Amino acid sequence: MYQGLLHLHNIGRWLVIILLLIAIVNAFAGMRRNEPFSRGDKKIGLFLMIIAHTMLLVGIYQWVVGPWGLKQFQQLGMGGVMKNSIARFWAVEHMLGMLIAIVLITIGRSVSKKPIADRLKHKKMFWMFFGAFILVMASVPWPGRKVSRPLFPGAERTAEMYNQPVN
């Protein structure tokens, strides 16, 4: 089950990134062209929020039952986790970065419900989604980083790319 959810989380990363890019481009265009806030803008924000929250739930499950989150704290303690860059990334940095990004996505989505000028909605959504995008990109374990995962689920990993938990 853990491996299947890891693959789902990997696919979900791409959905979040794609939806964030679409939402950012739409919000930027709406802000620059002073376009009315459309139902399509609301739907993109809603789908983005749903996917992001789903990935948060899957991620929390992985953090609790998987080898990289809670188990690292139990085995190494806070000091040990913070001294180990790989353990720190998985146990603290990835989760915290994504949690803040999801808060920004949720705030950006809630702006669409407020009775404010359409241009201001686009502007606020743009900045919230842009901030979330930066955090997501910084918090994803891209291939080539010290902490990495393959771009797509099921892709072969070399021994160097697969980060074993510290025992």
Side-chain angles (χ1 to χ4, degrees):
M1 183 162 144
Y2 177 81
Q3 193 65 30
L5 287 175
L6 186 62
H7 290 326
L8 174 67
H9 199 62
N10 191 328
I11 292 168
R13 149 184 47 181
W14 293 109
L15 294 174
V16 169
I17 290 170
I18 290 167
L19 287 171
L20 263 173
L21 287 173
I22 292 169
I24 289 168
V25 168
N26 282 352
F28 186 77
M31 180 177 61
R32 288 290 177 208
R33 296 182 193 142
N34 203 16
E35 294 175 344
F37 197 80
S38 69
R39 288 181 64 214
D41 294 328
K42 278 187 178 182
K43 284 183 181 180
I44 289 170
L46 177 63
F47 292 143
L48 171 60
M49 190 177 74
I50 289 169
I51 297 292
H53 283 200
T54 303
M55 290 305 101
L56 175 64
L57 292 175
V58 171
I60 289 171
Y61 173 81
Q62 290 174 312
W63 191 88
V64 170
V65 302
W68 284 106
L70 184 60
K71 287 184 182 164
Q72 290 298 299
F73 283 116
Q74 291 170 340
Q75 291 173 357
L76 302 174
M78 179 61 101
V81 168
M82 297 309 281
K83 289 176 187 172
N84 181 316
S85 62
I86 294 173
R88 183 181 62 238
F89 176 82
W90 289 115
V92 179
E93 295 169 4
H94 177 71
M95 179 65 94
L96 186 61
M98 293 301 187
L99 184 61
I100 295 169
I102 291 169
V103 167
L104 291 175
I105 289 168
T106 304
I107 293 169
R109 162 70 175 126
S110 70
V111 167
S112 68
K113 299 178 187 178
K114 296 190 182 278
I116 58 177
D118 288 348
R119 184 168 188 196
L120 188 55
K121 281 184 188 181
H122 285 299
K123 183 178 180 180
K124 286 185 176 193
M125 286 180 75
F126 171 78
W127 286 111
M128 291 294 159
F129 292 160
F130 184 73
F133 180 75
I134 297 298
L135 282 168
V136 166
M137 297 305 282
S139 300
V140 167
W142 297 109
R145 289 181 68 172
K146 188 174 182 179
V147 235
S148 63
R149 288 287 187 258
L151 288 176
F152 300 101
E156 293 300 318
R157 296 180 226 180
T158 63
E160 297 82 38
M161 288 178 67
Y162 190 75
N163 305 304
Q164 294 294 325
V166 178
N167 292 322

